[in-house]
Amino acid sequence: MWFIKHPFSVPMNRVLICLVLVWTGTQYQAQGTFNIRHYLNSATDFNTVYETDSGYIVVGSGWDTIPTSHLEMKLFRFDHTGELLDEIDIGGPDQDLWMYPSFGSDSALDDTFITQGSGGTHTDSSVGAFLTVFNAHLDTLLSVNVVSPYLNQPELGSNWISSYYSHIAEDSCIFMECQIFSEENGNDCMIKKFDKSGNWLWDYFCPAAGENNIEIVRCIRSDFNGGCYLLWRSSYKDEGGNNNYNLNRSSVIHLNDEGEELEQWYSPNDDLLPASWIDFVVDHYNFVLAGCISEYPNEDPFHSQATVTKMDMEGNLEWFSRAGDYSEDVYRIFQNITQTTDSNYVASGIYIDYNVADSLLDGERDFNGWLVKFDRYTGDVLWERYYHYVQSPNDEHEINDLKATRDGGVIFSGEATNLWVNGNPNLELPIQQGWLVKVDECGCLVPGCDAFCSYTDTTSLPIPDYFIFGPNPVVQFLNIFVGELENDHPLRFLLYDLSGRIVKEFVFSQGNTTYMWDLENLARGEYVLALEQDDRRLQTEVILKQ
């Protein structure tokens, strides 16, 4: 069973907010949660996730080495508990084809899904963009290949084209973003519209950012009238050709059903610039935009603060919310945002703390998955959670896509990646692994992680604890939620067998975090899970490994 506990007041010399057990006399009916990692023979990335009636579909990519090294796109189908049901390959050496899907895509339809990216053949150096439409059974319904308008015109550009985003509208029409690599302008950005049969309707070229500047449309949303809203971003280069991130500009562009530009909205407050908007949702007559404000010094570590901006379609600011402290040693950025069933917003991003000591869990820095929920009307932060897959020092965590789920929670896809430590690239193989996490509406992977965010009426029975965990018994992943820390002294989780021998351990220093510990290779039986700090035993629990 899951252990469900709530915070209560404790003396200040405690290092954590303590937790108490909740019991209603009946079984606790939690929203479904799970955490998985998945990989091919070499490397795997989970790029986009969709919910279906029977579970979830993930679009991923993999660098496989069997029978020879090749890059391929993969579609995965999971049930609502996270169990893998099916997977198919698109591309590979037997097809003389490689396909790399990019991060992020979206569909307004419940039974039709889309992905996009770049691809080509192993025998042709030119690269084209593609989009693929498929159903909940992973059957391909439509495939469209796009070549660069500069193809075979080297004086104008190159053969390279890619796509970062696509969207299926309510009428089944398709909007596709394309990056066109031009010798004159570095890269240009183009939007293509197709009907539901894949027939081309129109192209729209985004405003030119200037010579050698980079443009991208990171997100497309339907306007419900045949047109769309684009989230356009440009970055500028200095005289030496280096990116000057302080000059980044973002805007929302409205196109009608003929591809004609109607309006363009910039940040409603110059004090918020330089700003980068990376993802957005349309909430009635408002835009809700996630991204960051940034300052980039000439050398690492750079720093930024994640932000969410809400403005109406007249360009008036509704509210502006910052998440996390602004520090030169911390990098925070929101890359995705979604509106949940309670009409509030959840943003996902990356949190990196460069102050973490070398001896701790992450080697030289904390690099965690990060979710923050915002109130729809005020922009107030309702909760904030971090997620860390425990494997080895210097693990890095990326959230590539975030979707609201029908039960009120959210699900995110990405990668839990180990790069290397002390120059050793073989510390963990494969070094890149797909990551899929489903949490409830309180951001809890371990249900009951927050007493002040509860969708179930409960009665409390106080039992002091420092962490909650589950499932117990455990087959593979033991998920441990640690509350807010009251000092910065490192803590350690240790797993003992019944003879008192330490079989696994890890050190950490960040609270309000769910640590995901892989115990799959542990022998079956009972173990003691202990939390220690400064040679003090803080809490022990018995777990059963199956």
Side-chain angles (χ1 to χ4, degrees), residues 449-468:
C449 74
D450 188 342
F452 303 102
C453 174
S454 177
Y455 45 85
T456 302
D457 291 331
T458 58
T459 302
S460 297
L461 174 66
I463 299 177
D465 280 301
Y466 293 90
F467 62 88
I468 60 175

Side-chain angles (χ1 to χ4, degrees), residues 386-406:
Y386 300 96
Y387 307 88
H388 195 110
Y389 184 96
V390 179
Q391 181 65 36
S392 55
N394 216 33
D395 271 349
E396 296 193 1
H397 301 73
E398 298 269 5
I399 297 178
N400 295 331
D401 192 25
L402 173 74
K403 296 287 198 316
T405 55
R406 300 170 190 175

Side-chain angles (χ1 to χ4, degrees), residues 65-169:
T65 57
I66 298 176
T68 60
S69 295
H70 63 280
L71 183 69
E72 61 189 18
M73 182 173 77
K74 297 183 73 72
L75 301 179
F76 303 90
R77 190 162 61 92
F78 298 90
D79 68 14
H80 277 110
T81 69
E83 180 180 353
L84 180 64
L85 302 176
D86 193 16
E87 63 180 86
I88 64 171
D89 303 337
I90 302 178
D94 56 329
Q95 300 169 277
D96 188 34
L97 179 70
W98 65 269
M99 303 178 74
Y100 183 76
S102 53
F103 307 146
S105 52
D106 190 52
S107 174
L109 306 179
D110 292 333
D111 56 357
T112 307
F113 313 99
I114 192 169
T115 188
Q116 74 296 313
S118 58
T121 69
H122 296 282
T123 56
D124 187 348
S125 60
S126 63
V127 174
F130 72 89
L131 64 83
T132 299
V133 179
F134 53 94
N135 62 19
H137 302 289
L138 306 187
D139 301 318
T140 298
L141 305 178
L142 176 68
S143 293
V144 176
N145 296 318
V146 178
V147 298
S148 170
Y150 304 132
L151 185 66
N152 298 323
Q153 300 179 58
E155 70 279 4
L156 297 179
S158 72
N159 293 342
W160 283 80
I161 183 173
S162 186
S163 177
Y164 285 147
Y165 202 90
S166 59
H167 174 78
I168 301 179

Side-chain angles (χ1 to χ4, degrees), residues 442-492:
C442 299
C444 299
L445 181 58
V446 184
C449 74
D450 188 342
F452 303 102
C453 174
S454 177
Y455 45 85
T456 302
D457 291 331
T458 58
T459 302
S460 297
L461 174 66
I463 299 177
D465 280 301
Y466 293 90
F467 62 88
I468 60 175
F469 67 99
N472 193 21
V474 58
V475 176
Q476 182 177 4
F477 294 107
L478 184 68
N479 302 312
I480 307 171
F481 175 77
V482 179
E484 294 286 352
L485 304 181
E486 293 186 356
N487 63 52
D488 58 1
H489 295 186
L491 295 99
R492 183 184 305 270

Side-chain angles (χ1 to χ4, degrees), residues 194-465:
F194 303 91
D195 67 18
K196 63 181 180 180
S197 299
N199 299 308
W200 171 82
L201 298 177
W202 49 255
D203 290 339
Y204 168 79
F205 282 85
C206 294
E211 184 176 357
N212 293 324
N213 293 321
I214 298 174
E215 302 171 77
I216 184 173
V217 167
R218 179 59 176 81
C219 186
I220 305 172
R221 303 295 185 206
S222 170
D223 70 354
F224 301 97
N225 290 306
C228 63
Y229 300 104
L230 314 175
L231 183 55
W232 173 81
R233 189 172 84 247
S234 65
S235 62
Y236 292 80
K237 294 188 176 183
D238 58 25
E239 295 180 355
N242 301 310
N243 287 329
N244 186 341
Y245 294 97
N246 287 330
L247 297 178
N248 279 0
R249 291 301 302 271
S250 300
S251 68
V252 178
I253 300 173
H254 187 194
L255 305 181
N256 66 13
D257 60 350
E258 298 296 327
E260 299 168 334
E261 184 177 324
L262 300 178
E263 291 183 90
Q264 187 171 9
W265 297 270
Y266 288 92
S267 172
N269 186 342
D270 288 339
D271 293 339
L272 305 184
L273 296 176
S276 291
W277 292 333
I278 300 176
D279 194 13
F280 78 118
V281 295
V282 179
D283 184 4
H284 294 282
Y285 296 101
N286 295 278
F287 300 119
V288 186
L289 305 114
C292 67
I293 54 175
S294 305
E295 293 182 19
Y296 291 77
N298 294 326
E299 57 185 33
D300 287 337
F302 55 83
H303 57 286
S304 66
Q305 186 173 30
T307 62
V308 175
T309 303
K310 186 172 185 177
M311 67 180 185
D312 64 25
M313 291 188 177
E314 300 297 324
N316 300 309
L317 181 67
E318 296 287 329
W319 50 257
F320 175 74
S321 185
R322 304 168 186 257
D325 298 329
Y326 198 78
S327 167
E328 65 180 12
D329 296 316
V330 175
Y331 172 62
R332 298 175 184 262
I333 184 171
F334 286 141
Q335 296 176 309
N336 299 279
I337 191 168
T338 188
Q339 188 168 22
T340 50
T341 57
D342 61 4
S343 297
N344 294 312
Y345 315 112
V346 175
S348 67
I350 297 173
Y351 167 83
I352 308 175
D353 188 347
Y354 291 88
N355 272 328
V356 175
D358 291 346
S359 60
L360 298 185
L361 173 70
D362 278 336
E364 296 179 355
R365 58 189 180 185
D366 268 346
F367 197 131
N368 298 309
W370 184 35
L371 297 183
V372 182
K373 190 167 188 176
F374 296 88
D375 182 89
R376 179 191 190 191
Y377 300 102
T378 65
D380 293 339
V381 173
L382 301 178
W383 52 254
E384 181 178 15
R385 308 273 183 258
Y386 300 96
Y387 307 88
H388 195 110
Y389 184 96
V390 179
Q391 181 65 36
S392 55
N394 216 33
D395 271 349
E396 296 193 1
H397 301 73
E398 298 269 5
I399 297 178
N400 295 331
D401 192 25
L402 173 74
K403 296 287 198 316
T405 55
R406 300 170 190 175
D407 65 358
V410 296
I411 187 168
F412 65 79
S413 60
E415 57 178 298
T417 304
N418 171 273
L419 296 179
W420 55 76
V421 178
N422 296 326
N424 178 13
N426 299 314
L427 185 64
E428 179 191 356
L429 291 174
I431 62 173
Q432 189 177 26
Q433 304 194 27
W435 195 31
L436 187 66
V437 179
K438 165 66 173 65
V439 298
D440 64 23
E441 68 180 57
C442 299
C444 299
L445 181 58
V446 184
C449 74
D450 188 342
F452 303 102
C453 174
S454 177
Y455 45 85
T456 302
D457 291 331
T458 58
T459 302
S460 297
L461 174 66
I463 299 177
D465 280 301

Side-chain angles (χ1 to χ4, degrees), residues 172-187:
S172 298
C173 285
I174 298 168
F175 297 97
M176 179 186 189
E177 183 266 5
C178 293
Q179 292 289 301
I180 306 164
F181 295 86
S182 162
E183 290 182 353
E184 293 183 349
N185 290 329
N187 77 280

Side-chain angles (χ1 to χ4, degrees), residues 507-544:
V507 178
F508 67 96
S509 64
Q510 180 170 299
N512 197 20
T513 300
T514 301
Y515 294 96
M516 308 166 195
W517 210 2
D518 192 343
L519 305 182
E520 183 178 21
N521 296 326
L522 211 62
R524 293 184 177 184
E526 289 189 344
Y527 295 85
V528 175
L529 176 65
L531 176 64
E532 298 181 358
Q533 184 186 52
D534 298 331
D535 298 323
R536 290 190 303 135
R537 180 73 55 85
L538 303 177
Q539 180 184 341
T540 59
E541 300 285 350
V542 176
I543 68 168
L544 177 62

